[in-house]
Amino acid sequence: LAEKKPTVVFVLGGPGSGKGTQCANIVQHFGYTHLSAGDLLRAEIKSGSENGTMIQNMIKEGKIVPSEVTIKLLQKAMLESGNDKFLIDGFPRNEENRAAFEAVTKIEPEFVLFFDCSEEEMERRILNRNQGREDDNIETIRKRFKVFLESSLPVVQYYESKDKVRKIDAAKPVAEVFEAVKVVFTAKDE
Ligand code: UP5
Ligand code: MG
């Protein structure tokens, strides 16, 4: 008997588009486990792992950490959760991330939730966040936007071609964005 594969939803969108905020809401209502790839990488830095310095330098430059590092962290977190439904937030960020995740885990996402927001609004949100993230300064923000446009949007386009993207207008207030998100997750269960 084949083991049942976990359900995965990729949550994508530019830096500051509201991925983490909305994932917290989805967890409350729909029983998913939220795995933020960025949070897992930041925890890895804090743990003093041998990859910590490399990860820290890449995040500071807005660059994408090699997929084997990120995928290992995601797989470990999936196993430890005991759940079988996951929101994977902020991953895959480039074509290599996407292909490697699929090859290693054999998992294809159920769908891709894509938060669409203008750079102007995302920049405003990040500069207001004040949580001491080392990449929340204007120089790094510009680099993160560039990497998003050049490397991450093509991943969204790939899934669009497979009819898997559920696009949300993320420029609205948090509660309104969540109303639109709820429609997507409710439709899925019908
Ligand atoms: N806020 C949220 N929604 C709002 C709304 N509707 N109206 C007004 N304000 C709203 O939100 C950002 C801020 O905006 C918050 O203060 C929030 O209250 C407010 P948040 O929910 O945190 O947005 P999010 O999209 O999660 O923004 P984040 O900065 O986390 O996105 P990034 O994609 O930039 O960050 P991430 O942590 O995913 O990645 C960081 C870095 O890690 C990357 O640049 C990269 O270097 C590295 N990384 C990898 O290398 N590989 C990976 O797979 C993942 C990350
Ligand atoms: Mg986030």
Side-chain angles (χ1 to χ4, degrees), residues 3-9 30-33 35 77-87 107 110 188:
E3 239 182 90
K4 197 181 167 291
K5 274 189 198 153
T7 300
V8 164
V9 173
F30 298 99
Y32 283 76
T33 293
L35 301 178
M78 287 170 84
L79 275 172
E80 284 173 357
S81 75
N83 200 350
D84 63 354
K85 296 162 70 177
F86 301 95
L87 301 169
I107 297 171
E110 185 94 351
K188 177 202 173 293

Side-chain angles (χ1 to χ4, degrees), residues 16 18-21 34 36 38-39 42 89-90 129 133:
K19 300 182 293 296
T21 302
H34 173 208
S36 158
D39 287 350
R42 286 183 286 274
D89 157 4
R129 176 159 53 189
R133 266 176 57 171

Side-chain angles (χ1 to χ4, degrees), residues 59-119:
I59 288 182
K60 187 83 215 272
E61 289 303 312
K63 289 183 182 159
I64 300 166
V65 172
S67 62
E68 62 261 30
V69 172
T70 315
I71 290 170
K72 249 187 219 145
L73 293 172
L74 287 169
Q75 282 185 303
K76 183 161 172 278
M78 287 170 84
L79 275 172
E80 284 173 357
S81 75
N83 200 350
D84 63 354
K85 296 162 70 177
F86 301 95
L87 301 169
I88 298 191
D89 157 4
F91 178 96
R93 286 180 116 82
N94 62 14
E95 179 56 23
E96 194 258 340
N97 279 180
R98 183 197 66 69
F101 183 84
E102 219 174 281
V104 171
T105 66
K106 316 283 180 213
I107 297 171
E108 274 202 46
E110 185 94 351
F111 58 89
V112 175
L113 194 62
F114 172 53
F115 290 122
D116 188 28
C117 194
S118 69
E119 275 193 15

Side-chain angles (χ1 to χ4, degrees), residues 35-61:
L35 301 178
S36 158
D39 287 350
L40 290 170
L41 290 167
R42 286 183 286 274
E44 190 68 1
I45 297 171
K46 277 203 182 147
S47 79
S49 103
E50 55 177 342
N51 281 325
T53 312
M54 178 272 289
I55 297 170
Q56 188 166 26
N57 290 334
M58 300 206 76
I59 288 182
K60 187 83 215 272
E61 289 303 312

